[in-house]
Amino acid sequence: MATLLLAEHDNSALNGVTAKALTAAIALGGPVHVLVAGKDARGVADAAARLSGVDKVLLVDDALYAHRLAEPLAALIVSLAGSYDAIVGASTAAAKNVLPRVAALLDVMQVSDIIKVVAPDTFERPIYAGNAIQTVKSGDAKKVVTVRTASFAATGEGGSAAIETVGAGADPALSTFVEESIAASDRPELTAAKIIVSGGRAVGSREKFAELIEPLADALGAAVGASRAAVDAGYAPNDWQVGQTGKVVAPELYVALGISGAIQHLAGMKDSKVIVAVNKDEEAPIFQVADYGLVGDINTVIPELRAEIAKIKG
């Protein structure tokens, strides 16, 4: 039977993590159907249909799913689950809210944060902050799986899947939408950014973050990240946190400034293609994973780096 992939979107655009989760879904071996549940989300369905390897897109366009509340979305997925061997989603905040509910309603285990599909019933996932890899084999008839998208390349376009309109499911009436407050930013979204500039506790203050880290990120067209220590100290907001208890990223370039490299932080960024680290402590663990390391004071290095970038840009 087929695999049902939950699309990640905002009703207007398909999030890039969906294409990465699709790569894992295809590895399960069966046909892949993508579920787009939202309001006025036909454009999202069209984008999903263009992804290579998608056999069908299920579009559920209803106000009930406008804000993708976990309870009605989980109920919808369960109502569709009879036709599928596996239900897959990216390891995002949204899917982590929905798929555990789906697993509970189906009375199966969830296999979380997989980094490799070994077989349709066997997966690898990191444990102990990525220091060990656990192989999990599920004996459940239906697999509910979340995918660490940093470990999978995005599937390209070139497909032309059929789009099937599906009616809304029953509303369990367990939650209602009240409001949302979304921070506006011209910078790339952290988990989708190709370049990330991150600061640690050594930055020293929120003002220093604004003075040093953010202008460098803007010069590089990068997203801004932070270590947990910097977030806990109030230097950066929670949604910038990279690490085991924050966001897991794998950009093409990760610049770590004043970050010592605690194991919890490394778990969230060590799959980056190129890692550049600047730290005053030559024994800092971050240098063990860095492709390029510079022992120096970020207060001196960052202005010099910005000056060189300005010269290149002319």
Side-chain angles (χ1 to χ4, degrees):
M1 286 201 296
T3 295
L4 181 65
L5 172 63
L6 177 62
E8 190 86 15
H9 65 92
D10 61 0
N11 290 321
S12 59
L14 184 68
N15 192 309
V17 299
T18 303
K20 294 183 178 182
L22 173 61
T23 301
I26 292 172
L28 293 173
V32 178
H33 297 175
V34 177
L35 173 62
V36 176
K39 177 61 177 170
D40 299 327
R42 177 71 192 203
V44 176
D46 290 338
R50 290 193 294 269
L51 294 175
S52 297
V54 175
D55 290 81
K56 182 191 294 186
V57 175
L58 304 181
L59 174 60
V60 186
D61 205 311
D62 193 278
L64 180 59
Y65 309 110
H67 303 285
R68 289 162 299 287
L69 296 179
E71 292 83 1
L73 187 50
L76 172 66
I77 293 171
V78 170
S79 72
L80 299 170
S83 302
Y84 299 98
D85 281 328
I87 300 166
V88 176
S91 289
T92 60
K96 287 178 180 179
N97 197 16
V98 174
L99 292 188
R101 300 172 191 272
V102 172
L105 291 169
L106 293 175
D107 194 25
V108 300
M109 64 178 267
Q110 176 177 296
V111 183
S112 303
D113 223 22
I114 68 164
I115 60 172
K116 182 179 180 180
V117 177
V118 179
D121 63 350
T122 308
F123 313 91
E124 290 184 359
R125 60 185 300 272
I127 57 174
Y128 303 130
N131 282 299
I133 303 300
Q134 181 183 61
T135 301
V136 180
K137 184 172 183 177
S138 171
D140 290 323
K142 294 187 185 299
K143 315 297 186 290
V144 178
V145 179
T146 59
V147 178
R148 178 175 286 197
T149 53
S151 299
F152 292 88
T155 299
E157 294 189 347
S160 57
I163 300 176
E164 177 182 329
T165 300
V166 178
D171 183 2
L174 295 172
S175 60
T176 56
F177 175 77
V178 177
E179 65 176 357
E180 64 185 1
S181 178
I182 302 175
S185 176
D186 293 330
R187 299 189 185 105
E189 199 276 323
L190 190 60
T191 56
K194 294 183 178 180
I195 304 174
I196 296 174
V197 176
S198 275
R201 183 167 50 191
V203 175
S205 68
R206 179 68 190 92
E207 291 71 26
K208 281 289 187 179
F209 242 87
E211 178 185 332
L212 295 174
I213 306 299
E214 294 180 45
L216 177 59
D218 292 339
L220 292 171
V224 178
S227 68
R228 177 173 178 174
V231 170
D232 287 349
Y235 303 165
N238 289 333
D239 59 345
W240 289 3
Q241 184 177 326
V242 173
Q244 183 182 12
T245 54
K247 295 178 179 177
V248 177
V249 298
E252 294 178 9
L253 173 62
Y254 188 89
V255 183
L257 303 167
I259 295 175
S260 64
I263 189 171
Q264 292 84 357
H265 186 78
L266 299 183
M269 46 66 71
K270 64 181 181 181
D271 290 328
S272 303
K273 306 301 183 291
V274 177
I275 300 171
V276 176
V278 180
N279 199 290
K280 287 195 297 186
D281 180 9
E282 64 181 18
E283 300 296 329
I286 191 70
F287 290 128
Q288 296 177 15
V289 299
D291 297 284
Y292 301 93
L294 176 62
V295 178
D297 185 345
I298 59 173
N299 292 285
T300 302
V301 172
I302 293 176
E304 291 177 349
L305 181 56
R306 286 179 58 198
E308 291 301 319
I309 293 171
K311 290 179 183 178
I312 294 172
K313 289 186 173 182

